[in-house]
Amino acid sequence: MKKWNKPAAAMLAIGLTGALIAGCGGSGTTGNEGGSSSQEEAQKSKEPLAIKMMIPYWNAEPPKQDGETLKKVQAHTNTKLDIIWTPGSAYTDKMNASIASQDLPQILYVLANGNKNSGLVNAVRSGMFWEIGPYLKDYPNLSKLNEQMLKDSSFDGKLYGIYKYIPQARNGIVIRQDWLDNLGLQQPKTLDELIKVMKAFATGDPDKNGKQDTLAFGAAGANGFELFVSWFGGPNQFELKNGKLTPDFMTQEYMEALKLYKTFYNENVMNKDFAVNKNDFDMINKGKSGMLFAALEEVESRYIDLYKAFPQAKLDVISRIEGPKGVRVITRGAFPPQFMFPKTSVKTEAQLKQILGYMDKLADPDMQNLFTWGFEGSTYKLDNGKPVRTDVQKFNSEVASYEFMRFDDSSAAMKGNNSPILEKALQMQIDNYPTAIQNPVQALISQTNIDKGSELAKIISDAKTKFIMGEIDEAGWNKAVEQWRKTGGDQIIKEYEEAYANINKK
C-alpha cells in the first residue's frame, strides 16, 4: 500500500484539501492507439486533445474559462478543455439529468457518496461507464494511487473512477493550549483525561475573566460524537465480524457515548442549542469554547477570527486518545468523490487511454506546483528555495478556484515553510491512516439504503438528539432502533452483507 504524503500548506491555508487524481500517461499518445508513421497522423498527434468535462464549483462565480491557470493546464497536457462548471448545490440534480438523457461529457466528476445515488449506481451496473482498474498500471502517476483508497472507491468491487484526494484520518481535537496552561493541565492522552479537561474548561474559568461563562466545545449537531464512539471502542459506522454487520448505533459503545453527551448537555460542557446551531467554529472563534472536534489540517485556516479577537490564544492538535480498547483513530468513512468516464462520450478504448493520459499528466510535479502555489512572482515567491505565498486573494480567485479539476495529494509539489502546528497536524494525518479503523460498508451498495437511507437515518439522528436532551430514555432509544430495523434497516444490513460476500468470495 502506498503511504499518504503531506498536502502542501498553501491548500490548507485556505481550508482546501488536495486531491489525488492522476493525469496523463508517459507515452504521450493522443491519436490512434499504437500510433502511425504517416505525416498526417504524426501531425494529428501533436494537436491538442479536445476533452469535455463537468466539474462543480462552490464560489459565487465559476472559474474563468480563459484563466491563466486553465491555460497552463492545457499547455502542459496538450489539451483543449471544455468545462461545464456547475454550482455545487445543483450538481447532483444536473448529473442525474445528464445520466438519464445519456448526454454526458467525457469526464464526469461525482460528488462523495456516489454509491448512494440510484441513477449513478444503475448507470454503472448497466455498463455506461468504463472500468478503468486494469489500465492504471500503464501510467506513471495513476499507478501510484493508494491501494486502500482505490478499494474504498470501487463499485461492486470494480474501479470506475479516479478518486479525489481528501485526507482520510483527518479529524481530531483542536484545543486551546493556553486554556490548558491557565488551568495547569496537561494535554489529555486518555478518554478519562479528556473528559476531565472538558469539564474543567466548562467550570474552571480557563480564560481567567472571573466568570463561569465558557464551554468545552460548541457543537452544531452532536459534533465529535463518532470520535467518542471509537474512543469507547466502537466501530466506524458499522462493525464487521465473520461476515456479519452491526450498525454502530446498535453497539454498547454507542450507548456509552450517548450517555456521556447527555452528561455534557446537562452540565453545560457543550452548548444547549446544539440541535439547531449551524456553525461548529463560531464559539471557539469567539473565545467561548476551548476545543473543537474537527479536521486537523484546518488548524490555521478556520481559526483566523480567534486570533484576531484573542491575539494571545494558542492552539494545538490532538489525534490519539486511549480508551478501553486502546488508541483508536477512524477514517472519514465516506465513499470518495471521483472522476468517471462515460462510454456514451468516450466510445473507444483508444479514446479512454488518451483521456487517462490527460489525467495522469495532470498529476505531474509542474501541475501540482501550479494548483498548490500558483505563479511565481504573482501568487508566491521563493525564499531560500522554498515557496512563500505573497497574494492569498489572487491565489484564491485565480488558482484555487480550479481546485476541483485536480485529484492529487500535493505530495510532488514544492514544500513551503509550514508553521510547526500545521506540520504537526499534517504528520498526524499521515501517521494515523495506516492503522485507522475503516468503515466496512464504505464501498458497498444497498438498494434499500439508496431508496430509504435518508429517511431511516433521520430516525436515529432524531432519537440521538432527544436522548442527549433527556426527552427519551434508553427504552425510548431502543424503540427508535427497532423502528429503524422494521422500516428497512434490517434489509440494509442484509444487502450490505450480501454485497460484502459477493465482493470477497473466492
Side-chain angles (χ1 to χ4, degrees), residues 21 77 131-132 197 214 295 300 339 342-343 346:
I21 200 172
T77 59
E131 181 189 352
I132 64 168
V197 165
T214 56
E300 291 183 325
F339 298 82
K343 290 183 178 178
V346 183

Side-chain angles (χ1 to χ4, degrees), residues 35-104:
S36 171
S37 59
S38 71
Q39 287 185 341
E40 181 179 349
E41 293 198 2
Q43 178 61 35
K44 185 177 180 180
S45 69
K46 297 178 182 178
E47 295 176 359
L49 175 66
I51 302 176
K52 189 174 185 178
M53 62 184 72
M54 191 163 85
I55 307 289
Y57 71 92
W58 276 267
N59 295 327
E61 300 291 336
K64 297 178 182 178
Q65 294 285 10
D66 61 348
E68 291 303 313
T69 296
L70 187 57
K71 289 179 181 178
K72 189 167 183 177
V73 169
Q74 292 179 130
H76 182 84
T77 59
N78 192 30
T79 54
K80 182 175 178 58
L81 303 178
D82 179 9
I83 304 176
I84 306 168
W85 293 105
T86 305
S89 59
Y91 191 83
T92 296
D93 290 342
K94 170 77 171 177
M95 183 188 75
N96 288 341
S98 298
I99 290 173
S101 65
Q102 297 192 20
D103 181 17
L104 291 162

Side-chain angles (χ1 to χ4, degrees), residues 140-151:
N141 293 319
L142 297 182
S143 63
K144 298 175 184 176
L145 290 172
N146 182 274
E147 295 171 12
Q148 182 64 48
M149 281 295 295
L150 291 175
K151 180 180 178 181

Side-chain angles (χ1 to χ4, degrees), residues 277-495:
N277 183 33
K278 302 299 182 184
N279 189 337
D280 283 332
F281 294 87
D282 188 56
M283 291 187 184
I284 191 169
N285 279 334
K286 289 182 177 179
K288 296 298 183 181
S289 64
M291 66 176 67
L292 190 65
F293 307 101
L296 298 178
E297 82 276 5
E298 297 177 346
V299 65
E300 291 183 325
S301 61
R302 299 297 296 271
Y303 304 91
I304 295 173
D305 289 341
L306 170 67
Y307 290 118
K308 287 181 179 178
F310 304 93
Q312 80 282 4
K314 183 180 179 183
L315 293 177
D316 207 346
V317 287
I318 302 170
S319 68
R320 297 188 177 194
I321 295 293
E322 183 177 359
K325 295 184 180 179
V327 175
R328 292 166 69 86
V329 177
I330 58 174
T331 66
R332 293 179 68 243
F335 194 71
Q338 54 190 282
F339 298 82
M340 300 178 67
F341 312 95
K343 290 183 178 178
T344 53
S345 49
V346 183
K347 297 184 180 298
T348 68
E349 184 182 44
Q351 290 175 344
L352 175 66
K353 289 182 176 180
Q354 288 179 314
I355 291 173
L356 290 177
Y358 156 76
M359 297 295 288
D360 189 76
K361 204 162 186 60
L362 195 63
D364 284 347
D366 283 351
M367 291 291 93
Q368 293 196 32
N369 282 331
L370 172 66
F371 284 117
T372 304
W373 295 106
F375 298 89
E376 185 178 0
S378 176
T379 60
Y380 78 92
K381 66 179 181 179
L382 292 178
D383 184 5
N384 293 324
K386 290 189 174 184
V388 177
R389 179 82 63 234
T390 56
D391 193 330
V392 173
Q393 184 175 351
K394 190 172 186 180
F395 175 81
N396 288 347
S397 63
E398 298 185 9
V399 182
S401 57
Y402 295 91
E403 163 71 14
F404 286 88
M405 288 180 62
R406 73 187 298 206
F407 64 90
D408 64 273
D409 65 351
S410 299
S411 60
M414 296 182 292
K415 303 301 184 287
N417 290 311
N418 293 335
S419 67
I421 189 173
L422 182 55
E423 279 293 330
K424 181 179 180 180
L426 298 180
Q427 193 61 50
M428 283 178 171
Q429 292 177 332
I430 295 169
D431 294 343
N432 289 339
Y433 181 66
T435 58
I437 300 165
Q438 305 284 332
N439 171 11
V441 307
Q442 178 173 317
L444 302 182
I445 297 172
S446 159
Q447 188 60 48
T448 303
N449 192 50
I450 290 173
D451 296 338
K452 302 178 68 175
S454 297
E455 169 191 341
L456 293 172
K458 190 173 187 301
I459 295 173
I460 300 302
S461 62
D462 286 351
K464 179 199 295 184
T465 298
K466 290 178 180 179
F467 188 97
I468 293 170
M469 296 176 69
E471 296 177 8
I472 62 172
D473 56 12
E474 194 165 346
W477 169 260
N478 291 334
K479 184 178 179 180
V481 171
E482 190 63 25
Q483 181 187 1
W484 179 88
R485 296 184 64 178
K486 289 181 177 179
T487 53
D490 280 348
Q491 185 63 24
I492 289 175
I493 294 173
K494 180 175 180 290
E495 289 169 4

Side-chain angles (χ1 to χ4, degrees), residues 203-253:
T203 62
D205 190 22
D207 60 355
K208 298 300 181 184
N209 71 348
K211 302 176 183 179
Q212 190 171 318
D213 58 354
T214 56
L215 302 170
F217 69 111
N223 171 263
F225 188 87
E226 71 286 351
L227 295 177
F228 279 92
V229 172
S230 70
W231 292 332
F232 274 114
N236 184 353
Q237 300 185 43
F238 276 80
E239 183 176 46
L240 176 65
K241 286 185 178 180
N242 301 318
K244 297 297 182 181
L245 288 162
T246 303
D248 58 356
F249 54 81
M250 291 170 61
T251 66
Q252 182 58 36
E253 293 86 359

Side-chain angles (χ1 to χ4, degrees), residues 133-183:
Y135 298 96
L136 299 186
K137 66 181 185 302
D138 299 327
Y139 300 88
N141 293 319
L142 297 182
S143 63
K144 298 175 184 176
L145 290 172
N146 182 274
E147 295 171 12
Q148 182 64 48
M149 281 295 295
L150 291 175
K151 180 180 178 181
D152 290 342
S153 59
S154 63
F155 287 82
D156 296 327
K158 295 182 179 180
L159 194 66
Y160 293 89
I162 297 170
Y163 66 83
K164 178 173 175 61
Y165 174 78
I166 297 174
Q168 291 303 293
R170 83 184 289 207
N171 288 344
I173 306 169
V174 177
I175 192 166
R176 286 284 297 269
Q177 180 63 46
D178 55 315
W179 281 19
L180 287 172
D181 295 340
N182 287 344
L183 296 174

